[in-house]
Amino acid sequence: MSSQRPTFKPYYQDQIMAIPPTLDELVSKRHPVRIVNDVINRINIQGLLDAYKIKGCSSYHPQMLLKVLVFGYVSNVYSSRKLETACRENINFMWLSGISYPDHNTINRFRGVRLKEALRSVFEEVVKLLAEEGLLSIEDVYTDGTKIEANANRYTFVWKKAIHTNKEKMKAALKDIWDYAQSIAKSEDNLPDPPDLTTIDSEKVRATVDKLNRVLSDKPSVNKKMKAKLRYVTKNYPEKIVQYEEQEATLGDRNSYSKTDPDATFMRMKEDHMKNGQLRPGYNIQISTSNQYIVNYTIHSNPTDTRTLSGHLQQHEDSFGKTPGTLTADAGYGSEENYALLAAKNIEGYVKYGMFDKGQKKSCGDKKPFSVDKLHYNPSQDCYICPMGQEMHCIGTFSQKTSAGFRQEIKKYQAKNCTNCPLNGACHKSHGNRIIGVNKQLEIYRNRAYQLLNSDVGVAKRKQRCCDVEPVFANIKQNHGFRRFMLRGKEKVSIEWGLLAIAQNLRKKAA
């Protein structure tokens, strides 16, 4: 019986090739790296070339470095050190870089410095190229936002409320010492009236402390407790109030920021593994998409989507010279300010308002049968009819500002006699006659939005939004593992997200 032996393919590790293969032959013809190479070769990168000085030693070509960075973000390689290693060991990176070996400092400096002013133009060129190929539309977009954690310490923070509390304590301590000084002052001390401590600043605190020291320093009758308090105030308060003023200037209209990345605001993230609602420093990323391609992106330190639309649309207009024709978004953008903005820019907005989804249900009015929107309105007499048939006439128009500074006009209507009404307590909870506030302009905007959203086009856009803009965030965060920025500061975070946006578009094109 003959013995059988396994058969192996030839293996000659030290064999010399007569004609060695080129790197191009080793890269698959349908590999995404070829899409990156082709697109970067076709777009205009003059803005990036202008970032380099004429004098000095030679530099790596920015086109090569841009290709390496973009393909790194396409293939989930975000670290500059890993990109340096890839350029030496990965066939695809070696082919893309032309067997150049930029070190991690060169890559990081290119990403953080050279791309600061030029990346937006590169992204816009990629979008325009894809639009010319018919892959996306700049006119018809879907907008949404997500929060991504900043590269910042989660436990070194500054809160506006804490600053306010500490300043109130300072005012109370200064007033306490001043009252004590007045109680023991002699007539010849000529102690003036107490300073106005309604608001305090560094000059007022320093002047008050200096005056208290002059009055109390030479008086042996001052008790030890008050002397110790004055010493503490003199040593700490002038320095602390300057610190608080600097922190308030950094805060602006925000409620918090991280000490390690002052541009990052503490926000509530969806990735709450501890289930305790812990706030973490992050950025609010806004994107507009078309066919799952990113058309526009902006970075915001404000955690709410409502106040981001104005800046986002302005960026779209700056990038492409015009605003989109239609915009579809969820209820997070459904405010009077945003509806007015869309109307002013002649944008057909398929934007939900807060109660739109609940209003689609038949049982919506069962829980609140006496709400304002259920009351009958008589336009000829400008009055509402309460559930018992009473007329509620207008008692005045009031103006109020939102947190964003947008002015709203509210008309108030009051019932005549609710005292003996059998529905008193069920219709409203106030002690006197029922008063309702109605924003007429917002009602007009909501009625218009309701008609658009329930039209055939609106229904189609509502369905499309869920599978257009939201999967882009899911793909970047879940499939490609990007859940935390690597760079610090809003400018560098914008660069990093810009690279992610270009990578998303090229991945989609390669698919």
Side-chain angles (χ1 to χ4, degrees):
M1 182 177 177
S2 60
S3 61
Q4 295 182 351
R5 295 182 179 180
T7 303
F8 299 104
K9 293 182 180 180
Y11 173 62
Y12 305 108
Q13 189 175 2
D14 298 325
Q15 180 177 347
I16 300 175
M17 294 183 180
I19 305 177
T22 63
L23 289 177
D24 186 71
E25 293 174 320
L26 298 176
V27 176
S28 170
K29 297 300 180 184
R30 300 178 62 84
H31 198 280
V33 71
R34 293 192 180 274
I35 300 293
V36 173
N37 184 65
D38 176 62
V39 170
I40 301 299
N41 282 339
R42 291 165 60 190
I43 64 173
N44 180 10
I45 61 167
Q46 187 58 46
L48 180 56
L49 299 177
D50 292 340
Y52 286 80
K53 297 180 180 179
I54 298 175
K55 297 181 180 181
C57 62
S58 60
S59 305
Y60 284 107
H61 200 288
Q63 189 178 49
M64 179 272 291
L65 291 173
L66 180 62
K67 290 178 182 179
V68 168
L69 259 180
V70 170
F71 182 64
Y73 279 75
V74 167
S75 52
N76 307 341
V77 182
Y78 308 120
S79 165
S80 59
R81 292 183 182 273
K82 291 182 179 179
L83 286 171
E84 176 188 0
T85 303
C87 287
R88 294 180 177 275
E89 300 177 356
N90 189 301
I91 291 294
N92 299 314
F93 281 93
M94 293 171 67
W95 172 77
L96 203 59
S97 67
I99 319 183
S100 296
Y101 304 125
D103 63 9
H104 64 275
N105 284 325
T106 301
I107 295 171
N108 210 33
R109 187 164 54 249
F110 174 78
R111 176 170 56 184
V113 179
R114 304 294 187 186
L115 288 179
K116 185 185 297 183
E117 304 296 335
L119 184 65
R120 174 66 69 168
S121 64
V122 172
F123 169 77
E124 291 165 3
E125 289 294 324
V126 172
V127 171
K128 291 174 184 176
L129 177 64
L130 298 175
E132 289 173 2
E133 295 180 356
L135 297 174
L136 59 85
S137 170
I138 297 174
E139 297 287 333
D140 184 14
V141 298
Y142 299 84
T143 299
D144 201 1
T146 192
K147 298 174 182 65
I148 296 183
E149 188 175 354
N151 181 12
N153 192 316
R154 300 173 184 175
Y155 306 105
T156 55
F157 40 73
V158 175
W159 293 94
K160 180 179 285 187
K161 188 175 181 180
I163 295 175
H164 176 74
T165 301
N166 291 334
K167 288 175 73 173
E168 290 297 320
K169 290 179 179 178
M170 290 175 68
K171 289 193 287 186
L174 289 172
K175 185 179 183 303
D176 186 31
I177 299 175
W178 193 277
D179 291 343
Y180 176 79
Q182 282 191 318
S183 68
I184 66 170
K186 300 177 181 177
S187 58
E188 62 269 16
D189 288 337
N190 231 356
L191 195 65
D193 292 333
D196 181 14
L197 296 176
T198 307
T199 59
I200 59 173
D201 53 36
S202 54
E203 291 184 4
K204 190 178 291 186
V205 168
R206 189 173 296 278
T208 305
V209 169
D210 290 344
K211 182 63 178 176
L212 288 171
N213 276 296
R214 285 197 301 270
V215 172
L216 299 179
S217 60
D218 58 345
K219 284 188 169 53
S221 59
V222 178
N223 65 49
K224 293 181 179 180
K225 183 178 179 181
M226 196 57 65
K227 281 186 176 180
K229 193 171 185 178
L230 181 59
R231 283 196 301 269
Y232 178 84
V233 166
T234 305
K235 180 180 179 182
N236 295 286
Y237 278 17
E239 182 181 343
K240 280 290 183 183
I241 192 64
V242 172
Q243 178 185 336
Y244 293 151
E245 288 176 347
E246 292 174 351
Q247 290 174 344
E248 286 177 328
T250 303
L251 280 166
D253 59 350
R254 296 181 292 161
N255 290 322
S256 64
Y257 72 84
S258 171
K259 291 182 179 179
T260 49
D261 184 358
D263 290 337
T265 306
F266 279 78
M267 307 177 183
R268 201 174 304 280
M269 305 286 177
K270 287 185 178 179
E271 296 82 8
D272 185 12
H273 305 295
M274 299 296 291
K275 305 296 182 184
N276 59 358
Q278 181 182 9
L279 301 178
R280 287 183 283 178
Y283 292 92
N284 188 354
I285 313 299
Q286 297 289 311
I287 65 170
S288 292
T289 65
S290 173
N291 196 24
Q292 294 188 4
Y293 289 94
I294 299 178
V295 177
N296 181 31
Y297 69 89
T298 49
I299 314 296
H300 302 266
S301 298
N302 194 305
T304 58
D305 291 340
T306 311
R307 296 171 60 181
T308 62
L309 188 61
S310 176
H312 189 69
L313 287 176
Q314 186 60 51
Q315 180 60 61
H316 191 285
E317 192 170 355
D318 294 341
S319 297
F320 307 111
K322 57 183 178 180
T323 55
T326 61
L327 182 142
T328 308
D330 62 13
Y333 301 86
S335 67
E336 182 184 357
E337 181 180 4
N338 288 338
Y339 286 133
L341 176 67
L342 294 171
K345 292 183 177 293
N346 295 319
I347 300 173
E348 198 168 62
Y350 297 89
V351 181
K352 294 179 181 179
Y353 48 87
M355 295 295 292
F356 175 80
D357 286 331
K358 288 185 177 180
Q360 302 300 299
K361 300 178 181 178
K362 294 181 179 180
S363 59
C364 174
D366 296 344
K367 294 183 179 179
K368 296 182 178 180
F370 306 119
S371 59
V372 176
D373 57 312
K374 302 297 186 299
L375 302 180
H376 175 71
Y377 177 67
N378 187 337
S380 61
Q381 298 184 12
D382 188 23
C383 68
Y384 282 85
I385 308 300
C386 80
M388 289 302 294
Q390 282 193 66
E391 292 183 352
M392 303 177 68
H393 290 281
C394 179
I395 59 174
T397 301
F398 304 88
S399 179
Q400 66 181 23
K401 279 188 177 181
T402 64
S403 57
F406 182 76
R407 188 171 295 278
Q408 296 177 319
E409 298 294 330
I410 309 296
K411 292 189 73 173
K412 291 191 176 181
Y413 298 81
Q414 186 175 29
K416 292 181 179 178
N417 183 16
C418 295
T419 305
N420 299 319
C421 179
L423 293 178
N424 194 356
C427 177
H428 66 101
K429 302 297 182 182
S430 57
H431 295 292
N433 295 332
R434 182 181 183 183
I435 298 176
I436 60 173
V438 180
N439 188 332
K440 293 291 185 180
Q441 188 58 53
L442 182 57
E443 282 192 348
I444 294 172
Y445 287 138
R446 285 182 173 177
N447 290 335
R448 172 62 178 161
Y450 182 86
Q451 293 172 3
L452 285 173
L453 290 166
N454 284 294
S455 64
D456 293 339
V457 176
V459 171
K461 287 190 174 297
R462 282 157 52 195
K463 292 179 180 178
Q464 178 65 20
R465 189 195 69 81
C466 299
C467 55
D468 199 301
V469 62
E470 293 182 1
V472 173
F473 286 132
N475 186 42
I476 291 173
K477 296 170 79 172
Q478 183 65 29
N479 297 341
H480 296 279
F482 193 91
R483 296 180 178 273
R484 191 170 190 249
F485 286 108
M486 299 179 64
L487 306 180
R488 292 182 178 180
K490 192 173 181 179
E491 283 188 347
K492 292 187 177 181
V493 163
S494 182
I495 293 171
E496 199 166 3
W497 185 261
L499 289 168
L500 284 166
I502 295 172
Q504 165 66 21
N505 290 348
L506 297 186
R507 274 196 301 261
K508 178 69 177 175
K509 178 177 171 60

